[in-house]
Amino acid sequence: MLGHFNSIIAMASNAAKKAKLPIAAGSPTLTNDENAPEKTSSQSCKTTPAAGNCTPPIIFRTDCPDLKRLGIYFGIYIGVGTTSFYALKNHIRGHKTNDFIDSLYLCVVTMTTVGYGDLVPHSFVSQLICSIFITVGMCLVGIVVKIAASYLVVKQQMVLVNALHLSKKLGPMEALKEIENLKIDYTKCLISLIAMAAHFVIGIFVLVTVEGMDFTDAVYCACTTMTTVGFGDESFSSEFGRTFGIVWIATGTSCLGQLLLYIAEVYTDIETKKLVKWVLTNNIIAKKDLEAADNPENDQVYGAADYILYKLKEMGKIKQEDISIAMKDIDIVIKDLDVDHQSDSSQKK
């Protein structure tokens, strides 16, 4: 949606530049020198085919968390968790293979909330460390949710800003036509579903060939793992299987989270389209309303100017005193027009 708006705004700017027409306030300013650099406002974006390349205004960007910093947090979190579980390996019971792999496996299974239960802490110290580890992990998940929410909110704000920008350039009616022509993109959802299906098939293959499960048990284990339910009656038990499971579980839960984000993004795009249409529609005075305003039968308004003042008062933009002053000025203008009309008529006679 952002890419579509940016393309339309860019075409309008180029057309105005060639025709040497002024640009509406708030839009990119053009100088008389064609070679001069183009200056843009804080709400303008670079024209790109993808919405993701649109740079949000500074006031929006400052609220977005740093993804690199979040990655560092997760790296430290996994490193500290693995080290802690390795140091407490004698306080963890269950089926064990390799101490380091088991520690990393327990860390990933706990972090992703799969929680098979094939490795569990059984002493007070290990249970305390594990409880702290889980609490910190939930805080990190909260940061991830905040990033996703910020992304959706910023995208909604930028679509609305660009729609209003387009409305200033081409008019609200043309902007509404562009909104009507917009189509919701489901490509990322489809790609994510395909990735999830491929990930699911790979997991079943490894569970059958490496772990020696039946096909039905493998499908069951893959489903409970991908959905982070993790009953624990079926899980990875070999050293290679757990090594594969570390990567497979981490990437699988990431794919699931990304799919949910894309579904939320599609819903946000649909609601944003409705919001933009509502905002643009409220800035338009229908022709039939203006024609009705010239009919004094309803004793409310007596002309288009009076109707506009009435609507402004209804919206809370002006007060009754302002209307009285404006109507006096309108009466003076009307009287002057009547005098000019009478003088013209007398001259013709």
Side-chain angles (χ1 to χ4, degrees):
M1 294 175 73
L2 281 173
H4 181 82
F5 278 128
N6 292 337
S7 300
I8 298 298
I9 292 172
M11 286 190 291
S13 298
N14 292 334
K17 185 175 181 180
K18 291 178 181 179
K20 295 183 179 180
L21 296 174
I23 304 298
S27 60
T29 56
L30 301 175
T31 60
N32 293 329
D33 185 4
E34 295 183 355
N35 297 323
E38 189 176 90
K39 299 179 180 179
T40 58
S41 64
S42 61
Q43 294 179 345
S44 63
C45 300
K46 294 181 179 179
T47 305
T48 57
N53 293 329
C54 179
T55 304
I58 296 175
I59 56 174
F60 298 152
R61 285 204 309 269
T62 52
D63 294 332
C64 294
D66 189 353
L67 288 174
K68 293 182 179 179
R69 186 177 300 174
L70 180 63
I72 294 173
Y73 290 161
F74 267 105
I76 296 173
Y77 175 73
I78 294 175
V80 172
T82 303
T83 304
S84 300
F85 291 139
Y86 184 81
L88 296 170
K89 58 186 178 182
N90 295 327
H91 298 268
I92 295 175
R93 64 186 176 190
H95 178 72
K96 297 184 180 181
T97 57
N98 178 279
D99 290 338
F100 175 75
I101 293 176
D102 289 343
S103 300
L104 182 58
Y105 171 76
L106 177 59
C107 179
V108 172
V109 168
T110 305
M111 179 186 69
T112 56
T113 71
V114 173
Y116 285 130
D118 48 357
L119 292 174
V120 293
H122 67 89
S123 67
F124 173 77
V125 176
S126 60
Q127 290 175 349
L128 178 63
I129 295 297
C130 192
S131 299
I132 296 173
F133 181 78
I134 293 171
T135 304
V136 174
M138 290 298 98
C139 294
L140 290 178
V141 171
I143 296 176
V144 173
V145 173
K146 183 178 184 293
I147 289 177
S150 298
Y151 165 73
L152 296 176
V153 169
V154 168
K155 183 178 179 181
Q156 186 182 48
Q157 290 171 334
M158 289 306 302
V159 168
L160 181 57
V161 167
N162 282 13
L164 294 175
H165 195 179
L166 182 62
S167 177
K168 289 181 180 180
K169 284 180 174 294
L170 304 180
M173 294 304 299
E174 291 297 325
L176 275 176
K177 290 180 182 178
E178 295 297 332
I179 288 289
E180 292 292 343
N181 294 332
L182 281 177
K183 295 182 179 179
I184 305 300
D185 187 11
Y186 297 93
T187 305
K188 289 189 287 186
C189 285
L190 294 176
I191 293 175
S192 185
L193 281 173
I194 294 172
M196 286 279 292
H199 195 273
F200 189 76
V201 171
I202 293 172
I204 293 175
F205 176 78
V206 172
L207 288 170
V208 171
T209 57
V210 177
E211 296 296 329
M213 294 184 185
D214 294 335
F215 179 76
T216 305
D217 292 337
V219 172
Y220 168 75
C221 181
C223 286
T224 55
T225 303
M226 294 283 283
T227 55
T228 72
V229 174
F231 288 123
D233 49 346
E234 298 289 349
S235 62
F236 297 94
S237 57
S238 66
E239 183 176 339
F240 177 80
R242 287 187 174 176
T243 303
F244 169 80
I246 291 169
V247 179
W248 188 71
I249 293 171
T251 54
T253 51
S254 299
C255 287
L256 178 62
Q258 202 163 19
L259 175 62
L260 296 177
L261 173 63
Y262 291 153
I263 293 174
E265 185 177 5
V266 168
Y267 176 76
T268 303
D269 287 345
I270 295 172
E271 294 301 315
T272 300
K273 187 175 179 179
K274 294 179 182 178
L275 174 64
V276 172
K277 288 172 64 176
W278 180 81
V279 171
L280 294 179
T281 303
N282 280 354
N283 290 330
I284 299 173
I285 298 176
K287 183 179 179 181
K288 62 179 182 179
D289 291 334
L290 287 175
E291 291 174 349
D294 286 323
N295 186 2
E297 292 180 358
N298 55 9
D299 293 330
Q300 282 190 333
V301 290
Y302 298 93
D306 193 3
Y307 175 77
I308 293 172
L309 292 174
Y310 172 77
K311 296 299 286 185
L312 287 173
K313 179 190 174 185
E314 191 180 60
M315 296 168 62
K317 300 294 183 181
I318 59 176
K319 299 178 181 179
Q320 181 62 42
E321 296 79 10
D322 301 325
I323 294 179
S324 301
I325 297 173
M327 290 308 298
K328 289 180 181 178
D329 295 336
I330 292 174
D331 291 338
I332 295 172
V333 172
I334 292 174
K335 289 179 182 178
D336 292 339
L337 289 174
D338 291 338
V339 171
D340 293 337
H341 180 71
Q342 291 176 1
S343 62
D344 291 339
S345 301
S346 61
Q347 287 178 2
K348 288 180 180 179
K349 291 179 180 180

